[in-house]
Amino acid sequence: YSSDMTDYEPVIGLEVHVQLLTRSKLFSPAPSRYGDGPNHNVDVVDVALPGTLPVTNAAAVDMALALGLALGCSIRRTSVFARKHYFYPDLPKGYQISQYEEPYSTDGAVPIELDGEMRSIALTRIHMEEDAAKNIHDDAVTGGGVTHVDLNRAGAPLVEIVSTPSIHTPEEAGAYLRSLRQILRYLDVSDADLEKGQFRCDANVSVRKIGDTKLGTRTELKN
């Protein structure tokens, strides 16, 4: 066994969730607005009352398409929304409306500048989905393990931008995220404010010997 890691390289793929800058949510007319009191921006669609039907926000689709075109993605003539099932209190209907088999865009790339050189990080896809609500754990205050649910964010319009596993250093990852955020703000499709949860990143990281083409065991680091 040797602790020398000079023969190894990290392989990093990033999944970035971006909240789109629309006035209302992705499938309901409730405001998509930050800073209001808990559970003020909620519609019957957000709480999944029986018989309610989602209606897609056209402005969110336009913003998602603008981003796909700006990043050189292939825009599909037909895309399909899917149900991603999981059972937590931040999803009243028990599933998230997302895209899986048929996202609205694939491929594309994000240009970056690193050490004075220009290159690009290839993308796998960009897809649309709704956000979940916010769980607030009150253990420290009450000592009783109480969790509150704020549904203001439930249903907010997101795009998820998925890179290929072609990033190999923290510096590359940082340059990628800064470039992507700059593009989002230039297009005026998102404020991409990290403190407001409008720009969130999951990092998929593995390690392999330099020169190997097979990927190692992946670890996903959330948010």
Side-chain angles (χ1 to χ4, degrees):
Y1 172 78
S2 171
S3 61
D4 185 3
M5 294 294 291
T6 56
D7 293 336
Y8 291 83
E9 66 175 357
V11 179
I12 304 165
L14 300 179
E15 302 171 7
V16 180
H17 294 81
V18 174
Q19 182 173 332
L20 297 174
L21 191 58
T22 58
R23 287 179 292 183
S24 58
K25 297 181 180 181
L26 186 53
F27 296 110
S28 91
S32 182
R33 190 168 54 222
Y34 181 85
D36 290 354
N39 297 309
H40 277 56
N41 302 331
V42 182
D43 181 74
V44 292
V45 173
D46 305 320
V47 296
L49 292 185
T52 55
L53 295 173
V55 177
T56 308
N57 184 335
V61 175
D62 288 344
M63 291 179 182
L65 287 171
L67 177 62
L69 292 170
L71 296 178
C73 298
S74 299
I75 306 298
R76 297 192 175 201
R77 300 287 294 179
T78 302
S79 65
V80 176
F81 283 103
R83 292 183 177 190
K84 181 178 180 182
H85 287 264
Y86 68 89
F87 301 99
Y88 287 101
D90 60 6
L91 270 182
K93 59 182 175 290
Y95 61 86
Q96 177 190 33
I97 302 176
S98 184
Q99 293 187 315
Y100 184 63
E101 290 94 347
E102 299 185 57
Y104 83 91
S105 68
T106 55
D107 305 316
V110 174
I112 68 169
E113 182 177 357
L114 189 63
D115 298 328
E117 295 184 3
M118 295 298 301
R119 56 163 296 201
S120 61
I121 303 295
L123 301 177
T124 299
R125 59 192 280 154
I126 307 176
H127 66 261
M128 299 183 68
E129 62 185 20
E130 62 178 350
D131 206 347
K134 183 177 182 180
N135 290 335
I136 302 165
H137 305 292
D138 236 3
D139 294 10
V141 176
T142 66
V146 175
T147 295
H148 305 276
V149 181
D150 182 359
L151 293 169
N152 281 353
R153 199 176 68 186
L158 303 178
V159 286
E160 181 174 345
I161 304 151
V162 183
S163 81
T164 58
S166 54
I167 300 169
H168 297 291
T169 67
E171 291 76 19
E172 273 187 311
Y176 170 87
L177 292 171
R178 285 189 292 272
S179 176
L180 180 57
R181 184 174 184 270
Q182 184 180 44
I183 292 167
L184 290 162
R185 290 175 62 86
Y186 180 83
L187 293 173
D188 202 26
V189 300
S190 178
D191 286 335
D193 192 326
L194 278 70
E195 288 76 13
K196 295 178 181 178
Q198 298 166 350
F199 188 84
R200 313 194 294 267
C201 179
D202 298 339
N204 296 278
V205 183
S206 62
V207 177
R208 68 183 177 191
K209 279 196 171 184
I210 295 174
D212 283 356
T213 56
K214 184 179 179 181
L215 294 173
T217 302
R218 177 175 64 90
T219 296
E220 183 174 8
L221 309 173
K222 288 284 188 181
N223 295 320

